[in-house]
Amino acid sequence: MSNFLDTVELQTQDTVQYSIIWMHGLGADANDFVPIVPELSFPEGVGVRFVFPNAPVRPITINNGMAMRGWFDILSLARIEREEDEKGLYESKADIEALIQRENARGIPSERIFLAGFSQGCAMTLLTGVRYPEKLAGLIGLSGYLPLYQRTAQEASAANKNTPIFLVHGDFDPVIPINIAHTSRQTLEELGYTIEWHSYPMAHQVCAEEVADLNKFIIANMR
């Protein structure tokens, strides 16, 4: 497959043993989380490749149909039980799976690949990660939710049933209310997933404490 998403890539060393594929939020782009790379530290001799893909540009219903980078259309954010853009979700899932396979071709096995994302990117991380047919290193979901949550049980892959999941949210998030994140977390926990959960006194953003907790999670799951 040759039609990969455009990506921005950074490596912490010349030789890498792990990859982190990191999806941005709605209306942002591949550069959005590049500044987090120098904020993270890894064990001596461990190299990490960060892959930041650009979502396609598409009209977004809740933004009056304005075209912007988005992994899928958003019809409503009022509650987790709502109509969702299934076509867009599954298309972006396939695009992310292609990036995982490209990392495999570059010598990084799936069990050394983390998926990460913020907001819409978190939704894509969870949607893709629990369904992926090969074991991944970990799933990192920042300020987002589990899309198509009622289908998770029937579509989940056994390969990632024991993959650790890091979920964080802002207590005062005005974009994705924290109750939606709680429902996502509970759904995954009831299905037997291991969740490391943190909430912080913040809005729809990232804070320093969160980055420190995220760093610990990644290092703990480098095997």
Side-chain angles (χ1 to χ4, degrees), residues 28-177:
D29 65 20
N31 292 293
D32 199 35
F33 274 86
V34 168
I36 206 170
V37 176
E39 302 297 319
L40 301 172
S41 59
F42 302 105
E44 189 174 349
V46 174
V48 180
R49 178 187 295 121
F50 287 83
V51 178
F52 298 101
N54 267 321
V57 174
R58 67 179 77 229
I60 303 297
T61 299
I62 60 163
N63 290 344
N64 298 315
M66 186 183 298
M68 61 186 66
R69 292 199 181 278
W71 299 104
F72 50 91
D73 189 16
I74 298 181
L75 309 168
S76 162
L77 275 175
R79 62 189 197 283
I80 199 163
E81 309 88 349
R82 62 184 186 277
E83 186 182 354
E84 296 186 76
D85 174 19
E86 294 180 22
K87 182 172 180 285
L89 282 159
Y90 286 121
E91 284 175 354
S92 286
K93 170 180 167 286
D95 287 338
I96 294 162
E97 288 172 342
L99 292 177
I100 296 171
Q101 289 152 20
R102 186 173 71 174
E103 290 308 293
N104 296 158
R106 293 202 277 185
I108 309 296
S110 297
E111 64 266 21
R112 290 190 165 203
I113 297 173
F114 293 84
L115 296 185
F118 177 80
S119 195
Q120 255 206 350
C122 167
M124 289 314 310
T125 292
L126 296 177
L127 180 85
T128 306
V130 300
R131 288 164 175 79
Y132 199 66
E134 293 182 8
K135 176 83 169 71
L136 298 165
L139 307 179
I140 297 164
L142 314 179
S143 299
Y145 62 95
L146 176 67
L148 304 178
Y149 82 109
Q150 290 166 319
R151 282 202 214 161
T152 305
Q154 68 195 65
E155 295 185 359
S157 163
N160 283 295
K161 211 57 192 281
N162 297 316
T163 297
I165 302 175
F166 180 84
L167 288 184
V168 302
H169 216 85
D171 293 322
F172 312 115
D173 191 327
V175 178
I176 300 174

